[in-house]
Protein backbone atom coordinates (compact mmCIF):
# COMPACT_ATOMS: atom_id res chain seq x y z
CA UNK A 1 0.00 0.00 0.00
CA UNK A 2 2.80 2.42 0.75
CA UNK A 3 3.74 2.70 -2.90
CA UNK A 4 0.34 4.21 -3.72
CA UNK A 5 -0.04 6.67 -0.83
CA UNK A 6 1.59 9.56 -2.69
CA UNK A 7 -0.99 9.31 -5.48
CA UNK A 8 -4.06 9.86 -3.31
CA UNK A 9 -5.94 13.08 -4.07
CA UNK A 10 -7.77 13.71 -0.82
CA UNK A 11 -7.63 12.39 2.75
CA UNK A 12 -10.13 12.82 5.58
CA UNK A 13 -10.28 11.85 9.22
CA UNK A 14 -13.08 9.29 9.44
CA UNK A 15 -14.25 6.13 11.18
CA UNK A 16 -14.82 2.72 9.63
CA UNK A 17 -17.16 0.11 11.06
CA UNK A 18 -15.30 -3.21 11.33
CA UNK A 19 -17.97 -5.91 11.24
CA UNK A 20 -15.66 -8.58 12.65
CA UNK A 21 -14.92 -6.45 15.74
CA UNK A 22 -18.38 -4.82 15.92
CA UNK A 23 -16.62 -1.50 16.54
CA UNK A 24 -16.01 1.83 14.86
CA UNK A 25 -12.29 2.34 14.19
CA UNK A 26 -10.91 5.84 13.66
CA UNK A 27 -8.35 6.48 10.94
CA UNK A 28 -7.56 8.22 7.67
CA UNK A 29 -9.73 7.73 4.55
CA UNK A 30 -7.97 8.50 1.26
CA UNK A 31 -9.19 8.49 -2.34
CA UNK A 32 -7.23 8.09 -5.57
CA UNK A 33 -8.33 7.92 -9.21
CA UNK A 34 -8.58 4.12 -8.90
CA UNK A 35 -9.18 3.14 -5.28
CA UNK A 36 -10.06 3.93 -1.67
CA UNK A 37 -7.75 3.36 1.28
CA UNK A 38 -8.55 3.43 4.99
CA UNK A 39 -5.75 3.14 7.56
CA UNK A 40 -6.50 3.06 11.26
CA UNK A 41 -4.57 5.34 13.60
CA UNK A 42 -5.67 3.62 16.80
CA UNK A 43 -2.90 1.50 18.27
CA UNK A 44 -5.46 -0.69 20.04
CA UNK A 45 -6.83 -2.07 16.77
CA UNK A 46 -4.27 -4.09 14.84
CA UNK A 47 -4.32 -7.07 12.55
CA UNK A 48 -2.81 -10.47 13.28
CA UNK A 49 0.64 -9.21 12.22
CA UNK A 50 0.60 -6.30 14.66
CA UNK A 51 0.13 -3.71 11.92
CA UNK A 52 -2.61 -1.03 11.83
CA UNK A 53 -5.87 -2.10 10.21
CA UNK A 54 -5.87 -1.28 6.50
CA UNK A 55 -8.81 -1.50 4.07
CA UNK A 56 -8.10 -1.24 0.33
CA UNK A 57 -11.06 -1.03 -2.08
CA UNK A 58 -10.53 -0.91 -5.83
CA UNK A 59 -13.21 1.01 -7.73
CA UNK A 60 -13.74 -1.99 -10.02
CA UNK A 61 -15.09 -3.91 -7.00
CA UNK A 62 -17.69 -1.26 -6.06
CA UNK A 63 -21.31 -1.53 -7.18
CA UNK A 64 -22.82 1.48 -5.39
CA UNK A 65 -21.85 4.47 -3.23
CA UNK A 66 -24.69 6.09 -1.26
CA UNK A 67 -25.33 8.49 1.58
CA UNK A 68 -26.80 6.85 4.66
CA UNK A 69 -27.35 7.23 8.39
CA UNK A 70 -25.51 4.99 10.81
CA UNK A 71 -27.58 4.04 13.86
CA UNK A 72 -30.36 6.15 12.27
CA UNK A 73 -28.60 9.29 13.51
CA UNK A 74 -25.04 9.85 12.28
CA UNK A 75 -24.28 10.81 8.68
CA UNK A 76 -22.26 8.16 6.88
CA UNK A 77 -21.21 6.86 3.46
CA UNK A 78 -22.27 3.33 2.54
CA UNK A 79 -20.21 1.39 -0.03
CA UNK A 80 -21.43 -1.93 -1.42
CA UNK A 81 -19.00 -4.27 -3.20
CA UNK A 82 -19.71 -6.80 -5.92
CA UNK A 83 -18.98 -9.61 -3.43
CA UNK A 84 -21.89 -8.42 -1.27
CA UNK A 85 -19.74 -6.82 1.43
CA UNK A 86 -20.88 -3.49 2.86
CA UNK A 87 -18.54 -0.90 4.35
CA UNK A 88 -19.63 2.09 6.43
CA UNK A 89 -17.62 5.29 6.86
CA UNK A 90 -18.70 8.06 9.21
CA UNK A 91 -17.47 10.96 11.41
CA UNK A 92 -16.27 13.03 8.43
CA UNK A 93 -16.00 16.77 8.94
CA UNK A 94 -18.11 17.39 5.80
CA UNK A 95 -19.90 14.24 4.71
CA UNK A 96 -21.31 15.83 1.53
CA UNK A 97 -17.92 17.07 0.27
CA UNK A 98 -16.36 13.67 0.94
CA UNK A 99 -19.21 11.90 -0.83
CA UNK A 100 -18.97 14.16 -3.89
CA UNK A 101 -15.22 13.59 -4.18
CA UNK A 102 -15.48 9.80 -3.82
CA UNK A 103 -18.38 9.58 -6.26
CA UNK A 104 -16.60 11.82 -8.79
CA UNK A 105 -13.51 9.58 -8.75
CA UNK A 106 -15.66 6.46 -8.93
CA UNK A 107 -17.69 7.72 -11.91
CA UNK A 108 -14.51 8.77 -13.71
CA UNK A 109 -13.08 5.28 -13.21
CA UNK A 110 -16.17 3.77 -14.90
CA UNK A 111 -15.35 5.62 -18.13
CA UNK A 112 -11.75 4.39 -17.95
CA UNK A 113 -12.68 0.81 -17.14
CA UNK A 114 -10.99 -0.57 -20.26
CA UNK A 115 -8.01 -2.28 -18.71
CA UNK A 116 -4.58 -2.02 -20.23
CA UNK A 117 -1.77 -4.51 -19.79
CA UNK A 118 0.12 -2.09 -17.58
CA UNK A 119 -2.82 -1.57 -15.23
CA UNK A 120 -3.48 -5.28 -14.96
CA UNK A 121 0.12 -5.99 -14.08
CA UNK A 122 0.20 -3.10 -11.65
CA UNK A 123 -2.90 -4.11 -9.66
CA UNK A 124 -2.56 -7.85 -9.70
CA UNK A 125 -2.42 -9.09 -6.13
CA UNK A 126 -1.74 -12.71 -6.94
CA UNK A 127 1.49 -11.92 -8.78
CA UNK A 128 3.04 -9.82 -6.06
CA UNK A 129 4.70 -12.76 -4.39
CA UNK A 130 5.84 -14.72 -7.46
CA UNK A 131 8.30 -13.59 -10.13
CA UNK A 132 7.18 -13.36 -13.73
CA UNK A 133 8.45 -15.66 -16.42
CA UNK A 134 9.26 -14.61 -19.93
CA UNK A 135 6.82 -17.04 -21.52
CA UNK A 136 4.03 -16.16 -19.05
CA UNK A 137 4.55 -12.45 -19.64
CA UNK A 138 4.29 -12.95 -23.39
CA UNK A 139 1.10 -14.96 -22.98
CA UNK A 140 -0.45 -12.35 -20.70
CA UNK A 141 0.48 -9.55 -23.05
CA UNK A 142 -1.20 -11.37 -25.95
CA UNK A 143 -4.33 -12.03 -23.91
CA UNK A 144 -4.55 -8.45 -22.64
CA UNK A 145 -4.05 -7.10 -26.16
CA UNK A 146 -6.93 -9.29 -27.32
CA UNK A 147 -9.03 -8.14 -24.38
CA UNK A 148 -8.35 -4.48 -25.15
CA UNK A 149 -9.25 -4.99 -28.83
CA UNK A 150 -12.46 -6.81 -27.90
CA UNK A 151 -13.40 -4.11 -25.37
CA UNK A 152 -12.84 -1.40 -27.96
CA UNK A 153 -15.01 -3.34 -30.41
CA UNK A 154 -17.68 -3.70 -27.72
CA UNK A 155 -17.58 0.04 -27.07
CA UNK A 156 -17.98 0.78 -30.78
CA UNK A 157 -20.85 -1.71 -30.95
CA UNK A 158 -22.61 -0.04 -28.02
CA UNK A 159 -22.25 3.36 -29.71
CA UNK A 160 -23.67 1.87 -32.89
CA UNK A 161 -26.59 0.48 -30.88
CA UNK A 162 -27.28 3.91 -29.39
CA UNK A 163 -27.29 5.42 -32.87
CA UNK A 164 -29.76 2.78 -34.02
CA UNK A 165 -32.01 3.52 -31.04
CA UNK A 166 -31.88 7.22 -31.85
CA UNK A 167 -32.75 6.42 -35.46
CA UNK A 168 -35.73 4.34 -34.31
CA UNK A 169 -36.93 7.23 -32.12
CA UNK A 170 -36.54 9.64 -35.05
CA UNK A 171 -38.64 7.38 -37.28
CA UNK A 172 -41.34 7.23 -34.59
CA UNK A 173 -41.35 11.03 -34.45
CA UNK A 174 -41.70 11.10 -38.23
CA UNK A 175 -44.76 8.84 -37.94
CA UNK A 176 -46.27 11.19 -35.35
CA UNK A 177 -45.67 14.18 -37.65
CA UNK A 178 -47.24 12.29 -40.53
CA UNK A 179 -50.31 11.57 -38.40
CA UNK A 180 -50.67 15.30 -37.70
CA UNK A 181 -50.20 16.12 -41.39
CA UNK A 182 -52.83 13.54 -42.39
CA UNK A 183 -55.35 15.03 -39.95
CA UNK A 184 -54.68 18.54 -41.28
CA UNK A 185 -55.02 17.52 -44.93
CA UNK A 186 -58.22 15.60 -44.24
CA UNK A 187 -59.63 18.68 -42.45
CA UNK A 188 -58.67 20.94 -45.31
CA UNK A 189 -60.35 18.55 -47.74
CA UNK A 190 -63.58 18.49 -45.73
CA UNK A 191 -63.77 22.25 -45.11
CA UNK A 192 -62.55 23.71 -48.40
CA UNK A 193 -63.37 20.88 -50.79
CA UNK A 194 -62.08 21.93 -54.19
CA UNK A 195 -61.41 25.54 -53.31
CA UNK A 196 -58.18 26.77 -54.70
CA UNK A 197 -55.97 28.74 -52.40
CA UNK A 198 -54.05 31.67 -53.89
CA UNK A 199 -50.42 30.89 -54.36
CA UNK A 200 -48.25 32.46 -51.70
CA UNK A 201 -44.57 32.78 -52.31
CA UNK A 202 -42.49 33.35 -49.25
CA UNK A 203 -38.77 33.77 -49.45
CA UNK A 204 -36.57 33.21 -46.46
CA UNK A 205 -33.00 34.25 -46.13
CA UNK A 206 -30.51 31.48 -45.64
CA UNK A 207 -28.39 31.64 -42.54
CA UNK A 208 -24.87 30.53 -43.29
CA UNK A 209 -22.86 29.26 -40.36
CA UNK A 210 -19.13 29.45 -40.84
CA UNK A 211 -16.53 27.47 -38.98
CA UNK A 212 -15.36 30.60 -37.19
CA UNK A 213 -18.86 31.17 -35.78
CA UNK A 214 -18.69 27.97 -33.70
CA UNK A 215 -16.85 28.61 -30.41
CA UNK A 216 -14.03 26.27 -29.54
CA UNK A 217 -14.61 25.20 -25.94
CA UNK A 218 -13.60 22.20 -23.87
CA UNK A 219 -15.84 21.03 -21.00
CA UNK A 220 -15.17 18.51 -18.23
CA UNK A 221 -17.10 17.59 -15.09
CA UNK A 222 -15.43 18.89 -11.97
CA UNK A 223 -15.86 19.66 -8.29
CA UNK A 224 -15.50 23.39 -7.69
CA UNK A 225 -15.09 25.38 -4.49
CA UNK A 226 -15.31 29.17 -4.40
CA UNK A 227 -12.71 30.83 -2.16
CA UNK A 228 -12.88 34.53 -1.25
CA UNK A 229 -9.86 35.45 0.82
CA UNK A 230 -9.70 32.78 3.53
CA UNK A 231 -13.40 31.90 3.32
CA UNK A 232 -14.15 28.62 1.58
CA UNK A 233 -17.52 27.96 0.01
CA UNK A 234 -19.37 24.67 -0.44
CA UNK A 235 -17.89 22.18 -2.86
CA UNK A 236 -20.40 21.54 -5.65
CA UNK A 237 -20.55 19.67 -8.94
CA UNK A 238 -19.84 22.03 -11.83
CA UNK A 239 -18.56 22.08 -15.39
CA UNK A 240 -15.05 23.42 -15.94
CA UNK A 241 -14.86 25.10 -19.36
CA UNK A 242 -11.81 26.38 -21.23
CA UNK A 243 -12.34 28.59 -24.25
CA UNK A 244 -10.41 30.92 -26.47
CA UNK A 245 -11.73 33.93 -24.52
CA UNK A 246 -11.07 32.54 -21.03
CA UNK A 247 -12.12 30.15 -18.28
CA UNK A 248 -15.73 29.59 -17.19
CA UNK A 249 -17.34 27.83 -14.24
CA UNK A 250 -20.74 26.52 -15.39
CA UNK A 251 -23.39 24.78 -13.30
CA UNK A 252 -25.17 21.59 -14.36
CA UNK A 253 -27.93 23.69 -16.01
CA UNK A 254 -25.38 25.38 -18.30
CA UNK A 255 -25.61 28.66 -16.40
CA UNK A 256 -22.32 30.55 -16.20
CA UNK A 257 -21.44 31.05 -12.52
CA UNK A 258 -18.04 32.69 -13.03
CA UNK A 259 -16.05 33.71 -16.10
CA UNK A 260 -12.40 34.71 -16.12
CA UNK A 261 -10.98 36.32 -19.21
CA UNK A 262 -7.36 35.35 -19.79
CA UNK A 263 -6.03 38.82 -18.83
CA UNK A 264 -8.06 38.63 -15.60
CA UNK A 265 -6.44 35.35 -14.50
CA UNK A 266 -3.60 36.28 -12.14
CA UNK A 267 -2.32 32.83 -11.19
CA UNK A 268 -3.02 29.16 -11.85
CA UNK A 269 -1.58 26.84 -9.23
CA UNK A 270 -1.35 23.17 -10.15
CA UNK A 271 -1.74 21.46 -6.78
CA UNK A 272 -1.78 17.94 -8.24
CA UNK A 273 -2.45 16.32 -11.64
CA UNK A 274 -6.16 16.41 -10.71
CA UNK A 275 -6.49 19.75 -8.89
CA UNK A 276 -5.81 23.37 -9.78
CA UNK A 277 -6.39 26.70 -8.03
CA UNK A 278 -7.35 29.65 -10.25
CA UNK A 279 -6.85 33.06 -8.59
CA UNK A 280 -7.67 36.63 -9.54
CA UNK A 281 -5.91 39.27 -7.44
CA UNK A 282 -7.74 42.40 -6.35
CA UNK A 283 -6.44 45.61 -4.83
CA UNK A 284 -8.15 46.68 -1.63
CA UNK A 285 -10.42 43.62 -1.42
CA UNK A 286 -10.02 39.86 -0.93
CA UNK A 287 -8.74 37.76 -3.82
CA UNK A 288 -11.15 35.50 -5.68
CA UNK A 289 -10.11 31.88 -6.22
CA UNK A 290 -11.68 28.65 -7.40
CA UNK A 291 -10.43 25.21 -6.40
CA UNK A 292 -11.20 22.79 -9.24
CA UNK A 293 -10.81 19.02 -8.95
CA UNK A 294 -11.43 16.73 -11.92
CA UNK A 295 -10.25 13.32 -13.07
CA UNK A 296 -9.92 14.76 -16.59
CA UNK A 297 -7.61 17.55 -15.40
CA UNK A 298 -4.39 16.07 -16.91
CA UNK A 299 -5.62 16.71 -20.46
CA UNK A 300 -6.95 20.14 -19.48
CA UNK A 301 -3.53 21.16 -18.19
CA UNK A 302 -2.21 21.03 -21.75
CA UNK A 303 -4.92 23.49 -22.83
CA UNK A 304 -4.16 25.77 -19.91
CA UNK A 305 -0.49 25.72 -20.84
CA UNK A 306 -1.43 26.75 -24.37
CA UNK A 307 -3.30 29.88 -23.25
CA UNK A 308 -1.67 30.83 -19.94
CA UNK A 309 1.63 29.01 -19.59
CA UNK A 310 3.37 31.98 -17.97
CA UNK A 311 0.75 32.11 -15.17
CA UNK A 312 0.95 28.45 -14.22
CA UNK A 313 2.81 27.39 -11.10
CA UNK A 314 3.35 23.74 -10.18
CA UNK A 315 3.11 23.23 -6.43
CA UNK A 316 4.31 19.60 -6.50
CA UNK A 317 6.48 18.80 -9.53
CA UNK A 318 5.95 15.30 -10.95
CA UNK A 319 8.04 12.68 -9.18
CA UNK A 320 9.89 10.08 -11.19
CA UNK A 321 8.76 7.35 -8.81
CA UNK A 322 5.12 8.10 -9.60
CA UNK A 323 5.45 7.22 -13.26
CA UNK A 324 7.47 4.12 -12.66
CA UNK A 325 4.69 2.24 -10.89
CA UNK A 326 2.40 2.57 -13.92
CA UNK A 327 4.91 1.32 -16.47
CA UNK A 328 4.10 -1.96 -18.20
CA UNK A 329 6.17 -4.90 -17.10
CA UNK A 330 7.35 -5.74 -20.57
CA UNK A 331 8.42 -2.15 -21.26
CA UNK A 332 10.89 -2.17 -18.41
CA UNK A 333 14.44 -3.21 -19.22
CA UNK A 334 15.17 -6.57 -17.73
CA UNK A 335 17.77 -6.24 -15.00
CA UNK A 336 20.40 -8.82 -15.61
CA UNK A 337 23.02 -9.36 -12.95
CA UNK A 338 26.58 -9.58 -14.09
CA UNK A 339 26.98 -13.28 -14.53
CA UNK A 340 30.43 -14.71 -14.15
CA UNK A 341 31.64 -17.43 -16.45
CA UNK A 342 31.68 -20.79 -14.73
CA UNK A 343 34.70 -22.89 -15.45
CA UNK A 344 34.27 -26.60 -14.86
CA UNK A 345 37.10 -28.57 -13.42
CA UNK A 346 37.94 -31.21 -15.93
CA UNK A 347 40.44 -31.87 -18.59
CA UNK A 348 38.05 -33.26 -21.20
CA UNK A 349 36.57 -30.34 -23.25
CA UNK A 350 33.73 -32.62 -24.46
CA UNK A 351 32.53 -33.04 -20.89
CA UNK A 352 32.65 -29.30 -20.35
CA UNK A 353 30.69 -28.65 -23.58
CA UNK A 354 28.07 -31.27 -22.70
CA UNK A 355 27.67 -29.81 -19.22
CA UNK A 356 27.25 -26.29 -20.63
CA UNK A 357 24.60 -27.56 -23.07
CA UNK A 358 22.72 -29.24 -20.21
CA UNK A 359 22.89 -26.04 -18.16
CA UNK A 360 21.55 -23.96 -21.04
CA UNK A 361 18.74 -26.46 -21.64
CA UNK A 362 17.86 -26.41 -17.94
CA UNK A 363 17.80 -22.61 -17.90
CA UNK A 364 15.60 -22.45 -21.01
CA UNK A 365 13.24 -24.99 -19.46
CA UNK A 366 13.01 -22.92 -16.27
CA UNK A 367 12.31 -19.77 -18.31
CA UNK A 368 9.60 -21.51 -20.35
CA UNK A 369 7.62 -22.44 -17.26
CA UNK A 370 4.53 -20.46 -16.33
CA UNK A 371 3.88 -19.73 -12.68
CA UNK A 372 0.64 -20.69 -10.95
CA UNK A 373 -0.26 -17.04 -10.47
CA UNK A 374 0.10 -16.39 -14.19
CA UNK A 375 -2.08 -19.41 -14.96
CA UNK A 376 -4.73 -18.10 -12.57
CA UNK A 377 -4.57 -14.66 -14.15
CA UNK A 378 -4.86 -16.19 -17.63
CA UNK A 379 -7.88 -18.21 -16.51
CA UNK A 380 -9.64 -15.16 -15.11
CA UNK A 381 -8.88 -13.07 -18.18
CA UNK A 382 -10.11 -15.77 -20.55
CA UNK A 383 -13.31 -16.03 -18.51
CA UNK A 384 -13.75 -12.27 -18.88
CA UNK A 385 -13.15 -12.58 -22.61
CA UNK A 386 -15.83 -15.29 -22.84
CA UNK A 387 -18.42 -13.22 -20.97
CA UNK A 388 -17.52 -10.18 -23.08
CA UNK A 389 -17.97 -12.19 -26.29
CA UNK A 390 -21.38 -13.41 -25.07
CA UNK A 391 -22.43 -9.83 -24.34
CA UNK A 392 -21.26 -8.73 -27.79
CA UNK A 393 -23.27 -11.54 -29.41
CA UNK A 394 -26.38 -10.50 -27.46
CA UNK A 395 -25.89 -6.85 -28.38
CA UNK A 396 -25.46 -7.83 -32.03
CA UNK A 397 -28.71 -9.82 -32.01
CA UNK A 398 -30.57 -6.88 -30.45
CA UNK A 399 -29.16 -4.52 -33.06
CA UNK A 400 -30.25 -6.83 -35.88
CA UNK A 401 -33.80 -6.79 -34.51
CA UNK A 402 -33.65 -3.00 -34.19
CA UNK A 403 -32.47 -2.69 -37.80
CA UNK A 404 -35.40 -4.84 -38.97
CA UNK A 405 -37.89 -2.72 -37.03
CA UNK A 406 -36.39 0.53 -38.35
CA UNK A 407 -36.46 -0.81 -41.93
CA UNK A 408 -40.15 -1.77 -41.69
CA UNK A 409 -41.02 1.55 -40.07
CA UNK A 410 -39.18 3.52 -42.75
CA UNK A 411 -41.01 1.58 -45.48
CA UNK A 412 -44.39 2.36 -43.88
CA UNK A 413 -43.42 6.02 -43.49
CA UNK A 414 -42.45 6.19 -47.15
CA UNK A 415 -45.87 4.82 -48.16
CA UNK A 416 -47.64 7.34 -45.93
CA UNK A 417 -45.60 10.22 -47.38
CA UNK A 418 -46.50 9.18 -50.91
CA UNK A 419 -50.21 8.99 -50.06
CA UNK A 420 -50.02 12.37 -48.31
CA UNK A 421 -48.30 13.98 -51.30
CA UNK A 422 -50.96 12.58 -53.56
CA UNK A 423 -53.72 14.14 -51.40
CA UNK A 424 -51.94 17.50 -51.30
CA UNK A 425 -51.54 17.49 -55.09
CA UNK A 426 -55.29 16.88 -55.49
CA UNK A 427 -56.08 19.81 -53.18
CA UNK A 428 -53.74 22.12 -55.12
CA UNK A 429 -55.56 21.51 -58.42
Amino acid sequence: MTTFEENYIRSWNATWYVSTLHKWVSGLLSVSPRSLLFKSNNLEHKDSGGNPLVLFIDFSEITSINKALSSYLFQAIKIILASGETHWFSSMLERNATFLMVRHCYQASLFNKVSSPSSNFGTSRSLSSQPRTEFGTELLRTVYDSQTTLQNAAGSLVQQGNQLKNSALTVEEIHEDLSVAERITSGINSWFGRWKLPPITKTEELILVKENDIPHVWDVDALCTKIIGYKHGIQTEMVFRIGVDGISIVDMKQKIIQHFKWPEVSQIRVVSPWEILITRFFIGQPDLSYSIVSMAMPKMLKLLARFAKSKMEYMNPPNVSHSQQYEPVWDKPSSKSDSKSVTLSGKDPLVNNATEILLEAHQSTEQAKVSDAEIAELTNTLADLKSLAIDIQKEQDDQIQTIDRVTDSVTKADDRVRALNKTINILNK
Side-chain angles (χ1 to χ4, degrees), residues 33 75 355 411:
Q75 294 183 347
T355 306
T411 302

Side-chain angles (χ1 to χ4, degrees), residues 177-424:
D177 295 339
L178 288 175
S179 300
V180 175
E182 288 174 353
R183 287 196 299 269
I184 293 175
T185 53
S186 62
I188 292 175
N189 190 18
S190 61
W191 280 93
F192 295 98
R194 294 182 174 274
W195 292 2
K196 292 184 178 180
L197 299 176
I200 298 177
T201 304
K202 184 179 180 181
T203 59
E204 296 181 357
E205 296 182 359
L206 297 178
I207 300 176
L208 300 178
V209 180
K210 299 180 181 180
E211 186 177 358
N212 296 330
D213 297 334
I214 303 175
H216 295 280
V217 294
W218 296 266
D219 294 348
V220 294
D221 295 334
L223 299 176
C224 302
T225 305
K226 186 177 181 179
I227 305 173
I228 301 179
Y230 296 98
K231 184 179 179 181
H232 288 65
I234 301 175
Q235 188 178 59
T236 55
E237 292 180 303
M238 295 285 184
V239 175
F240 177 49
R241 175 177 296 171
I242 297 179
V244 180
D245 57 341
I247 299 173
S248 300
I249 308 298
V250 186
D251 62 4
M252 305 309 292
K253 296 182 180 180
Q254 295 301 311
K255 180 182 178 181
I256 297 178
I257 304 300
Q258 183 70 45
H259 179 73
F260 296 101
K261 295 182 180 180
W262 291 116
E264 297 175 351
V265 178
S266 303
Q267 189 180 50
I268 300 176
R269 293 186 178 182
V270 183
V271 182
S272 69
W274 307 277
E275 181 180 3
I276 62 173
L277 185 66
I278 301 175
T279 305
R280 180 183 179 184
F281 297 146
F282 289 97
I283 299 177
Q285 54 181 331
D287 300 333
L288 175 62
S289 301
Y290 271 89
S291 173
I292 303 173
V293 181
S294 175
M295 295 298 100
M297 190 61 69
K299 66 178 182 181
M300 302 298 284
L301 291 177
K302 298 180 181 179
L303 297 174
L304 289 173
R306 183 193 304 178
F307 295 106
K309 186 176 181 180
S310 60
K311 301 178 181 180
M312 296 181 65
E313 177 183 352
Y314 289 87
M315 304 294 292
N316 298 316
N319 193 356
V320 180
S321 61
H322 290 181
S323 61
Q324 290 180 354
Q325 52 187 308
Y326 298 108
E327 294 179 358
V329 173
W330 51 81
D331 291 342
K332 296 181 180 179
S334 58
S335 59
K336 298 182 179 179
S337 58
D338 298 334
S339 59
K340 298 180 180 180
S341 58
V342 180
T343 56
L344 300 175
S345 59
K347 298 182 179 180
D348 193 352
L350 295 177
V351 176
N352 293 338
N353 293 335
T355 306
E356 292 177 358
I357 292 174
L358 290 175
L359 288 175
E360 292 178 358
H362 178 70
Q363 292 177 357
S364 61
T365 304
E366 290 293 333
Q367 292 178 355
K369 288 182 179 180
V370 181
S371 62
D372 295 337
E374 290 171 335
I375 293 175
E377 189 172 354
L378 282 172
T379 304
N380 295 332
T381 308
L382 291 176
D384 295 339
L385 286 176
K386 181 180 178 181
S387 61
L388 185 59
I390 294 174
D391 293 338
I392 289 177
Q393 180 64 37
K394 183 180 178 181
E395 179 68 21
Q396 187 177 6
D397 295 338
D398 294 341
Q399 290 187 15
I400 291 175
Q401 295 178 3
T402 304
I403 291 173
D404 294 338
R405 290 196 301 269
V406 171
T407 303
D408 296 338
S409 184
V410 169
T411 302
K412 293 178 182 179
D414 186 44
D415 296 337
R416 294 179 66 182
V417 169
R418 290 182 181 179
L420 189 61
N421 289 334
K422 185 177 180 180
T423 304
I424 293 174

Side-chain angles (χ1 to χ4, degrees), residues 57-185:
I57 303 176
D58 194 273
F59 281 147
S60 60
E61 303 173 357
I62 298 177
T63 58
S64 65
I65 302 176
N66 301 313
K67 296 180 182 178
L69 293 177
S70 61
S71 303
Y72 301 98
L73 182 61
F74 302 103
Q75 294 183 347
I77 297 176
K78 181 181 178 182
I79 298 178
I80 302 177
L81 305 183
S83 60
E85 299 180 9
T86 302
H87 296 283
W88 292 77
F89 299 96
S90 184
S91 302
M92 282 83 66
L93 183 61
E94 295 182 3
R95 193 273 303 267
N96 187 51
T98 305
F99 173 76
L100 290 177
M101 179 64 68
V102 173
R103 189 180 64 174
H104 177 73
C105 298
Y106 171 66
Q107 291 176 350
S109 69
L110 295 179
F111 292 99
N112 300 326
K113 201 171 183 180
V114 179
S115 60
S116 61
S118 59
S119 62
N120 283 283
F121 281 118
T123 60
S124 178
R125 301 178 182 177
S126 60
L127 297 181
S128 59
S129 60
Q130 297 185 9
R132 289 194 174 276
T133 62
E134 182 178 357
F135 183 66
T137 302
E138 186 67 25
L139 282 177
L140 288 173
R141 179 170 61 177
T142 304
V143 172
Y144 283 132
D145 288 343
S146 302
Q147 185 181 17
T148 302
T149 304
L150 194 59
Q151 286 174 339
N152 293 335
S156 301
L157 192 63
V158 170
Q159 293 180 359
Q160 179 179 333
N162 294 332
Q163 293 176 359
L164 288 175
K165 292 178 182 178
N166 294 333
S167 301
L169 293 176
T170 304
V171 174
E172 292 297 329
E173 293 177 357
I174 291 175
H175 277 285
E176 293 178 0
D177 295 339
L178 288 175
S179 300
V180 175
E182 288 174 353
R183 287 196 299 269
I184 293 175
T185 53

